Amino acid sequence: MKFSFSVLAASLLGLTNGYTPINNKVKIGFEAWEETFSSPDFNKDTKYALIVNPTSVTRNLQLIADYLVESKKINLVALAGLEHGIRGSLQAGVTIGNLSFVDEITGLQVYDGYRYRTGAAWSQAFTEMDADTIVFDIQDIGSRFYTYISAMYDAMLGAALANKKFIVLDRPNPINGVDVDGDIIVPQFMSYIGRVPIVTQHGMTVGELAMMFNNEFLPNDVELSNSQVKTVDLQVFKMEGWEREMYYDQTGLNWVIPSPNMPNMDTAIVYPGQGIIEAITISEGRGTSIPFFVFGGDYTQGKNLAKLQKAMNDLNLPGVVFSQFYFKPPVSKMRNIQSGGLKLYVTNRDTYKSIPTTIAILSTIKKLFPNDYKYSGDRMLQNRTGTSYVFDMLNANANYQDIVLEYQNRLEVFKKMRAKYLLY
């Protein structure tokens, strides 16, 4: 009998630290969908369009669009990409420059879904594609302000308006499906990094979110106000073998980078909180080899940096410690400026709380360096945290514990709604 080292090591860790062992039998939604192709009830004349990106791969890491065109298993007529494109060639916030183009490998027309910010725009694209069914297969990372789930919501609206069926092929929440944290975003601060009133770290899969979107939010969306159709014809293909306690490295699946600054699962773990640092003028480490693990600026150097490190470590935050780190970001904020900052070390991912940790970081920087602490733009912090409470309480020099305590009741409200849509 043979055991892989990774499985054996994970099993030993499971015995000693309570970790869930690696399950090499996790079946993704694509595999469940593909099994239906051989059914006598499967209509081979149905025209499909895929919403995909580099994470949309088979178990053998072949892009499903390439695989399906090569195998001729379905009638595939078009593709749509989201932020970063269908093959990951674009940086954050960049579009392809055209509404559509022909993909060299598949020969299919590709639509730039990152340009579509309404259901109406998606509806027009779906009509031009002449597809009967839209299939969404994207790996999310578990944070509301990561744009893929906002794009899914808009695409669902578009499918409802265009009278198209919408299929979601489920994939794991990489930072587990248990931890839920953050405030519910309010309408005043909704944008492409938060379309509907959910919390920052939702603890759901894309399939579960799609069900919630369809039942809770689409019926009341203004774009459907004049339509007799209030929901989309939705079908979710579930995974098999995935458990809510699992992190992505316990699924036996390979991590495919979902965006240039999300190089590994560990980055996804810190992102629900550390992504909020984008709202202030210091760097969050974009362009470095460890984005979101490092943060700093030109005013946190020398004695100031030593002061910041001591203040953060004196908080004894669960599952995390901080070391000094100097860097010069090649892109984004603080570009080519020598910066002093801290590097975040997650010592225990099961006790580490990303959002409270980042709120503590912001509170500490604000108190230590009040004249240097500045926001990147109007409402940047509110758009990321979802409300004005964090902004107002930080400006009042509130302790981070009080800020975290303030949103707990609203978090519990979300958890009750969320419970209705959990598939696993």
Side-chain angles (χ1 to χ4, degrees):
M1 183 179 295
K2 296 181 179 179
F3 293 93
S4 72
F5 176 78
S6 60
V7 172
L8 177 59
S11 298
L12 292 174
L13 283 171
L15 292 173
T16 59
N17 295 317
Y19 294 143
T20 303
I22 292 173
N23 179 1
N24 285 316
K25 295 182 180 179
V26 171
K27 180 189 291 185
I28 55 176
F30 172 76
E31 292 170 304
W33 181 48
E34 186 183 19
E35 288 177 356
T36 68
F37 297 171
S38 59
S39 167
D41 298 325
F42 185 78
N43 186 351
K44 297 186 181 300
D45 294 326
T46 299
K47 291 178 285 187
Y48 291 93
L50 304 181
I51 300 176
V52 289
N53 75 356
T55 69
S56 313
V57 294
T58 67
R59 183 169 294 276
N60 295 325
L61 300 182
Q62 184 177 12
L63 290 174
I64 68 166
D66 297 348
Y67 170 76
L68 291 172
V69 167
E70 184 180 292
S71 65
K72 297 182 173 59
K73 289 190 173 185
I74 64 170
N75 184 12
L76 189 56
V77 297
L79 306 174
L82 304 182
E83 188 174 9
H84 311 295
I86 65 168
R87 300 186 185 274
S89 59
L90 302 174
Q91 285 290 333
V94 177
T95 68
I96 60 174
N98 300 302
L99 290 176
S100 67
F101 65 96
V102 175
D103 178 50
E104 291 183 5
I105 296 176
T106 62
L108 295 172
Q109 198 75 18
V110 178
Y111 292 77
D112 183 8
Y114 188 52
R115 296 174 67 116
Y116 307 147
R117 301 301 170 91
T118 64
W122 276 104
S123 176
Q124 181 179 346
F126 293 153
T127 300
E128 291 177 5
M129 293 175 188
D130 194 29
D132 304 309
T133 299
I134 312 302
V135 181
F136 183 97
D137 183 22
I138 300 280
Q139 177 64 59
D140 185 43
I141 64 163
S143 299
R144 169 184 48 78
F145 42 64
Y146 204 62
T147 60
Y148 297 156
I149 60 173
S150 291
M152 180 175 73
Y153 179 81
D154 290 347
M156 290 174 66
L157 271 176
L161 289 167
N163 195 28
K164 308 293 185 182
K165 183 173 181 176
F166 199 87
I167 290 176
V168 175
L169 308 180
D170 216 1
R171 290 180 179 268
N173 183 321
I175 59 176
N176 80 56
V178 175
D179 293 335
V180 185
D181 203 357
D183 208 341
I184 298 175
I185 190 169
V186 298
Q188 180 184 358
F189 300 119
M190 288 180 184
S191 67
Y192 199 56
I193 58 172
R195 278 287 189 249
V196 295
I198 63 173
V199 299
T200 307
Q201 185 174 347
H202 47 72
M204 302 176 76
T205 68
V206 287
E208 293 169 338
L209 284 168
M211 293 169 57
M212 177 188 284
F213 290 172
N214 204 34
N215 291 337
E216 302 287 342
F217 306 128
L218 256 69
N220 300 313
D221 195 285
V222 65
E223 289 200 69
L224 296 179
S225 60
N226 295 322
S227 172
Q228 292 184 338
V229 177
K230 299 300 181 182
T231 58
V232 70
D233 180 7
L234 175 67
Q235 183 176 10
V236 175
F237 281 88
K238 293 175 55 178
M239 296 175 285
E240 293 181 15
W242 184 74
E243 299 174 7
R244 304 207 75 82
E245 296 79 9
M246 286 181 173
Y247 289 85
Y248 200 86
D249 60 5
Q250 295 165 324
T251 64
L253 300 169
N254 290 292
W255 179 265
V256 177
I257 296 176
S259 61
N261 285 285
M262 197 58 54
N264 49 51
M265 180 206 69
D266 293 332
T267 310
I269 290 175
V270 304
Y271 184 71
Q274 292 300 94
I276 297 172
I277 289 181
E278 296 192 84
I280 64 174
T281 54
I282 66 171
S283 170
E284 67 283 347
R286 282 185 180 272
T288 71
S289 61
I290 43 175
F292 302 107
F293 276 95
V294 296
F295 57 92
D298 54 356
Y299 62 86
T300 50
Q301 302 188 61
K303 291 182 179 180
N304 281 354
L305 181 55
K307 186 190 303 185
L308 178 60
Q309 181 193 20
K310 183 178 187 305
M312 288 307 306
N313 284 330
D314 283 351
L315 291 174
N316 292 315
L317 298 169
V320 63
V321 293
F322 301 86
S323 71
Q324 296 185 26
F325 190 85
Y326 282 86
F327 62 108
K328 185 181 290 186
V331 297
S332 193
K333 291 182 295 179
M334 308 303 297
R335 180 179 180 183
N336 294 326
I337 297 174
Q338 180 71 19
S339 301
L342 297 182
K343 181 181 178 184
L344 182 155
Y345 289 82
V346 176
T347 58
N348 186 333
R349 67 187 185 184
D350 292 326
T351 60
Y352 166 72
K353 302 297 181 186
S354 178
I355 294 170
T357 296
T358 298
I359 291 174
I361 291 170
L362 296 178
S363 174
T364 302
I365 294 175
K366 175 74 166 57
K367 290 176 181 177
L368 291 178
F369 314 108
N371 295 327
D372 297 299
Y373 179 93
K374 294 180 174 61
Y375 295 103
S376 301
D378 292 340
R379 309 201 331 170
M380 288 280 283
L381 184 66
Q382 296 94 320
N383 287 343
R384 279 160 177 75
T385 60
T387 70
S388 63
Y389 292 104
V390 176
F391 177 83
D392 293 339
M393 294 182 76
L394 282 172
N395 289 339
N397 288 322
N399 292 325
Y400 87 92
Q401 298 96 325
D402 293 332
I403 300 174
V404 172
L405 182 63
E406 202 284 329
Y407 65 73
Q408 293 304 309
N409 288 339
R410 294 186 294 277
L411 175 60
E412 291 304 313
V413 171
F414 173 77
K415 286 181 178 179
K416 290 179 181 178
M417 178 177 66
R418 167 184 176 271
K420 297 185 290 183
Y421 301 102
L422 302 184
L423 295 171
Y424 311 92

